[in-house]
Amino acid sequence: MGLIIDLSAIQANFKTLAERAPDARPGAVVKADAYGLGAVRVAPALYQAGARDFFVALASEGRTIRQHLPDDAQIFVLSGHMEGEDLTGLIPLLNSPAQFFRDRALRPRGPFGIQLDSGMNRLGFEPGEWAAVRTEALAAEPLLVMSHLACADEPEHAANAGQLAAFRTMTQGVTAPLSLAATGGTLLGVDYHFDLVRLGVGMYGGLPFADAQPVVTLALPIIQTREVRVGESVGYGYSWTATRPSRVATVAAGYADGLARALARGGDLQLWAGDRACPVIGRISMDLITVDVTDLPDIPVSLEILNARQGVDALAERSGTIGYEILTSLGQRYPRTYL
């Protein structure tokens, strides 16, 4: 029971994605605690699979995994050099002139990278800013110059080609390693690969990598079952009323565990007992979900909400979000088992 995380599947997805960009170095994005799955376990597994470049959002995330990785692993910090941060053993990806001059003043020989804004308007040097510091920045020998695509999960979107052209213009003549593609960009093709690809959600079993192996199984323990008569209702607001004699199981999870109330709004959310689907009834509450198990011959000890039949993107579609949010919202109350 609980959250089962298949490290071998993460490794396999990493290798399969890396094969899509055979001339680029495969890096691994392990920010947000490896998308909620536990960076101190996931990052070493990815190192074993061949990753040597790791990407985190914050320096604190980098410090957490630094002690779990060999010295030759490079840990890049996407937020760059924030004031007062300890960057020992880390490589900030500097995002602005202010960050660049702060970093060079405080860490004149410290390793660093550069992030450029190729059109997403989120992080990175804008073209004018980059032109002003480019000569000085390149003379200090950055370990990586990167940018990020805004619409890589939409292959036909015109922004992809526009950002590719902008990145090429901004990096013309740069000899440092270049990186533009995350998972979606890796799948766009060789034009986007450059020297390093940053593999993220696809490793964890999410779209746009449709060929990913499932990584996560989430089994919710049944706390109690009860018989519900015709006309009786279940849960907050009495939003479900029995039209037949029913057996209802209450399982231990809810929106405090990352399973949003919106998952049940369409009335077709299911939990699984082996290969048999059981409908969720009533509302998802903070810690509890109620499930109609009338048609099961036997009551199991748990029911699955994430498995090979119902992955993170299937749940995301039901609640009007994306697989990233489902993964990163999974709470810390689940017992975790790593395969």
Side-chain angles (χ1 to χ4, degrees):
M1 289 185 291
L3 190 61
I4 301 170
I5 299 158
D6 189 341
L7 294 174
S8 64
I10 295 176
Q11 292 173 319
N13 291 336
F14 170 82
K15 292 177 180 178
T16 302
L17 280 168
E19 290 170 359
R20 300 288 186 96
D23 296 325
R25 202 164 75 227
V29 182
V30 292
K31 63 182 180 178
D33 198 27
Y35 289 46
L37 301 185
V40 298
R41 297 296 299 271
V42 171
L46 288 167
Y47 183 93
Q48 292 174 0
R52 295 295 181 269
D53 303 280
F54 296 83
F55 293 83
V56 295
L58 305 171
S60 57
E61 296 177 329
R63 291 192 295 270
T64 296
I65 64 171
R66 178 71 275 178
Q67 60 189 310
H68 298 280
L69 292 170
D71 291 343
D72 66 335
Q74 298 190 117
I75 302 173
F76 292 93
V77 181
L78 292 164
S79 60
H81 187 156
M82 302 290 284
E83 192 169 355
E85 283 286 10
D86 177 8
L87 293 166
T88 304
L90 308 176
I91 304 168
L93 287 159
L94 307 177
N95 290 293
S96 65
Q99 285 201 350
F100 175 74
F101 292 117
R102 176 190 302 138
D103 190 70
R104 293 301 85 191
L106 297 176
R107 310 168 58 249
R109 292 184 174 84
F112 72 99
I114 294 287
Q115 183 161 193
L116 303 176
D117 179 11
S118 57
M120 192 174 186
N121 289 307
R122 195 176 64 170
L123 278 181
F125 288 81
E126 295 183 5
E129 295 173 328
W130 176 233
V133 303
R134 173 186 163 120
T135 299
E136 185 175 352
L138 295 180
E141 299 183 346
L143 297 181
L144 186 69
V145 177
M146 65 158 284
S147 189
H148 192 60
L149 295 167
C151 304
D153 58 342
E154 302 176 57
E156 304 306 318
H157 201 294
N160 295 319
Q163 285 194 257
L164 175 61
F167 186 63
R168 283 179 168 158
T169 298
M170 295 174 79
T171 58
Q172 186 172 3
V174 173
T175 57
L178 303 178
S179 177
L180 179 61
T183 296
T186 300
L187 298 173
L188 287 178
V190 65
D191 286 348
Y192 293 84
H193 294 165
F194 293 92
D195 301 299
L196 184 148
V197 291
R198 309 182 309 274
L199 307 178
V201 70
M203 298 190 306
Y204 304 108
L207 293 173
F209 184 34
D211 296 331
Q213 292 186 23
V215 167
V216 173
T217 301
L218 180 55
L220 310 178
I222 293 175
I223 303 172
Q224 183 179 4
T225 59
R226 67 179 64 247
E227 304 298 326
V228 177
R229 297 189 297 270
V230 173
E232 290 189 313
S233 300
V234 174
Y236 285 122
Y238 276 9
S239 61
W240 182 88
T241 300
T243 58
R244 62 170 180 168
S246 302
R247 179 179 292 173
V248 174
T250 302
V251 300
Y255 58 77
D257 305 287
L259 303 176
R261 292 176 81 241
L263 283 170
R265 66 185 172 188
D268 58 351
L269 177 62
Q270 297 172 328
L271 271 60
W272 294 81
D275 59 357
R276 299 181 69 123
C278 305
V280 169
I281 59 174
R283 295 180 183 172
I284 294 175
S285 53
M286 184 182 292
D287 315 293
L288 303 169
I289 298 173
T290 45
V291 187
D292 185 350
V293 294
T294 308
D295 295 328
L296 293 183
D298 301 293
I299 303 302
V301 296
S302 64
L303 296 169
E304 294 177 353
I305 191 167
L306 283 172
N307 54 25
R309 298 177 179 85
Q310 182 168 270
V312 292
D313 290 292
L315 283 193
E317 185 176 357
R318 293 177 188 280
S319 56
T321 185
I322 55 176
Y324 298 75
E325 185 173 356
I326 298 295
L327 281 172
T328 58
S329 297
L330 296 175
Q332 295 301 313
R333 294 196 294 188
Y334 303 119
R336 294 179 175 225
T337 302
Y338 290 88
L339 305 181

